[in-house]
Amino acid sequence: MKIAIDAMGGDFAPDEIVKGVEEARDRYEGLEFLLFGTEEKVKPLIQNMDRLTLVPTTEEIEMGEEPVKAMKEKPNSSMVQAATAVKNGEADAFFSAGNTGAILASAIFIVGRIRGVERPALATAFPSFGGKNDEFVFMDLGANAENKPSHLYQYGILGSFYAENIMGISNPRVRLLNNGGEEDKGDEVHKAVHQLMKDTDAFNFLGNVEAREIMEGTADVVVADGFSGNATLKAIEGTALTMLDQLKQSIKAAGLRGLLGALLLKPAFKSLKHKLDFQENGGAVVLGVKAPVVKTHGSAKAKAVANSMGQIERMVQENLVGKTADFIKENAEKMKVKKNAK
Amino acid sequence: MKIAIDAMGGDFAPDEIVKGVEEARDRYEGLEFLLFGTEEKVKPLIQNMDRLTLVPTTEEIEMGEEPVKAMKEKPNSSMVQAATAVKNGEADAFFSAGNTGAILASAIFIVGRIRGVERPALATAFPSFGGKNDEFVFMDLGANAENKPSHLYQYGILGSFYAENIMGISNPRVRLLNNGGEEDKGDEVHKAVHQLMKDTDAFNFLGNVEAREIMEGTADVVVADGFSGNATLKAIEGTALTMLDQLKQSIKAAGLRGLLGALLLKPAFKSLKHKLDFQENGGAVVLGVKAPVVKTHGSAKAKAVANSMGQIERMVQENLVGKTADFIKENAEKMKVKKNAK
């Protein structure tokens, strides 16, 4: 199994990317890596070339660049070359910690959509507390700005396949992120999605969920439109950071007493912080394209990179893309009917 | 100054509503209250009738009812009667802790929109940390499900007037909640809103803000479409609750050590919790209607009710509605041009 790696994407690239890949090589015996990157920068970082090939590239896509434009104007970039290797069958999956928009564009336009999938979506495994599983699939996180009811309906299928095959959750419970529990809640798009999901037998739909409750463990897949999914994800991250920061400041302001208390509670704080550091366990996945595409957060260090390789290995081993594609092909007529319903 | 009170709305109505109103009467000398509610339930709760009139009503709108239907089918409910008193000039403002949708419907259809305002919005003062002010106006929180660019543009005006006149922030910094900082981010609606706001001199627009950063104090007014504003608000509340709950559990799991640490950190925890309890300081406001309409959260106790009365007093004293209406009237032509731009 070969993974195409964009060695130049991310705040700590190429150092932490190369380090992470070598860590993954030690951990996962079946993996080979195609490293795409600027030779003089990447080569000196590599410890040994076992199961690892360096493919020299001459361009880099920066974090701030306009995604589609960057992809088109930098055909020789590490990212575009890595995605192209997957397209050409030289690698089974594509990994990057770089510019999210450009990764999405490369996934959609170079790796390509699964036939029948209208819009690929960005998904991540997100922590939940108190339910029967301790994480759930949260999607779309911003791959798709213009969301139609049929797009969100398909996310239910894509997300269920991921939850079942990669996270090992049987008959995943799918919910729709909406601003109320009742089926008539939300704008026209969300009302229509609710009806499509309610009527389907393609997955196990249990109704709406509000943003307040998504971490309570009542869903294994939470489907959102890309705009509010993105806003919800960022609101959660921002709140968690703000609270930890405020707590630190309050502790500081409490002087010696605070210091002592904090020392005693250090393990408790650490356990909470660990649960919230879900991004360390793997990356976000572009679902609905013809091969596994995984994007780790920009500030990923070696460990998060290596963990993402484990995630990719599972996706390839379980043949997630093939299973999803087969289901969509077999259910093409049904999905078309669904689509025409709105 | 007279405030029309829906004494029957809220989880702890009428007890805590009446208690809160009497607390407010002691606190604010200039206030009179019209209490709308079921006589046999409300009358026994009233300590004394000073500056307080009980107007008997025979119906109640429940929390789960369909808003517009409930409003139409229960003309003799405490909520509809209180809103009608404002419409008829018998009261200056309307307060309820009841069914949010029904309060919005009553505000919009009974109290009525300010001429020129396309869609009223639900706004709240929300805590921020580290900026020059410690709170900001966050709107729309879900009054409007179908958001057009011109609606969000007008929210900038409504929010600025509230921040300036009620929160005392001069030249409020307005930002648009969007999924990226650059002006070409977001769906078609948000791109169009950004351009309308960028070109206006009706308020001080400083660009987009992401949900991750809204509590960082870089904005005095954050304008969102009702759907993602609602999702963001709920995500923040849910995260804060989840984190406090998880911390509690981690502390418990740490046994004696945890207990001792928690005891030492109690003041620090309390200060954080207090900052996050923004709903205790007042209610959410329906902006864009012809009189102040304030909605406290359903589980409000007397203190939150009383604090909302102080908020209403400021709104009436500062003539917020009149000032807003005058501005919109004077700028009607300009706003129409803006509207036609998209």
Side-chain angles (χ1 to χ4, degrees), chain A residues 212 239, chain B residues 126 232-242 278-279:
Chain A
R212 199 198 315 262
T239 308
Chain B
F126 206 79
T232 300
L233 177 76
K234 287 176 179 163
I236 292 173
E237 289 176 357
T239 309
L241 287 175
T242 303
F278 66 96
Q279 292 183 328

Side-chain angles (χ1 to χ4, degrees), chain B residues 83-142:
Chain B
T84 307
V86 174
K87 184 196 170 194
N88 294 340
E90 293 153 17
D92 303 292
F94 158 44
F95 168 88
S96 177
N99 180 319
T100 307
I103 296 171
L104 284 165
S106 302
I108 295 167
F109 299 115
I110 301 174
V111 176
R113 282 180 297 138
I114 292 173
R115 196 189 173 94
V117 170
E118 295 177 39
R119 294 289 172 100
L122 192 63
T124 195
F126 206 79
S128 64
F129 305 91
K132 62 176 178 173
N133 301 307
D134 60 0
E135 52 180 8
F136 65 97
V137 180
F138 189 20
M139 66 194 288
D140 173 37
L141 305 177

Side-chain angles (χ1 to χ4, degrees), chain B residues 287-304:
Chain B
L287 294 179
V289 291
K290 285 181 187 157
V293 174
V294 171
K295 179 229 156 332
T296 322
H297 58 108
S299 53
K301 296 285 187 84
K303 200 180 155 199

Side-chain angles (χ1 to χ4, degrees), chain A residues 64 66-67 129-130 142 145-146 177-180 182 184-190 210-213 215-216 225-228 230-244 246-247 249-251 254 257-269 271-272 275-276, chain B residues 64 66-67 129-130 142 145-146 177-180 182 184-190 210-213 215-216 225-228 230-244 246-247 249-251 254 257-269 271-272 275-276:
Chain A
E66 204 284 301
F129 305 91
E146 298 298 330
L177 183 70
N178 204 340
N179 58 12
E182 303 82 1
D184 62 342
K185 286 284 175 172
D187 57 13
E188 291 311 315
V189 171
H190 289 83
E210 293 196 70
R212 199 198 315 262
E213 292 139 19
M215 290 191 291
E216 289 179 5
D225 70 272
F227 196 89
S228 44
N230 188 285
T232 299
L233 178 77
K234 287 177 180 163
I236 293 173
E237 289 177 358
T239 308
L241 287 174
T242 302
M243 281 187 69
L244 289 174
Q246 284 298 311
L247 204 53
Q249 291 195 24
S250 303
I251 288 170
R257 174 183 180 151
L259 216 74
L260 193 60
L263 208 67
L264 288 165
L265 288 189
K266 211 175 174 184
F269 285 137
S271 129
L272 177 64
K275 276 187 191 169
L276 290 165
Chain B
E66 204 283 300
F129 305 91
E146 298 298 331
L177 183 70
N178 203 339
N179 58 13
E182 303 83 0
D184 62 342
K185 286 286 174 169
D187 57 14
E188 291 311 315
V189 170
H190 289 83
E210 293 195 69
R212 199 198 315 262
E213 292 140 18
M215 289 191 289
E216 289 178 6
D225 70 271
F227 196 89
S228 44
N230 188 284
T232 300
L233 177 76
K234 287 176 179 163
I236 292 173
E237 289 176 357
T239 309
L241 287 175
T242 303
M243 281 186 69
L244 289 174
Q246 284 299 308
L247 205 52
Q249 292 194 22
S250 303
I251 287 170
R257 174 183 179 152
L259 216 74
L260 193 60
L263 208 67
L264 287 165
L265 287 189
K266 211 173 172 186
F269 284 137
S271 127
L272 177 64
K275 276 186 190 169
L276 291 165

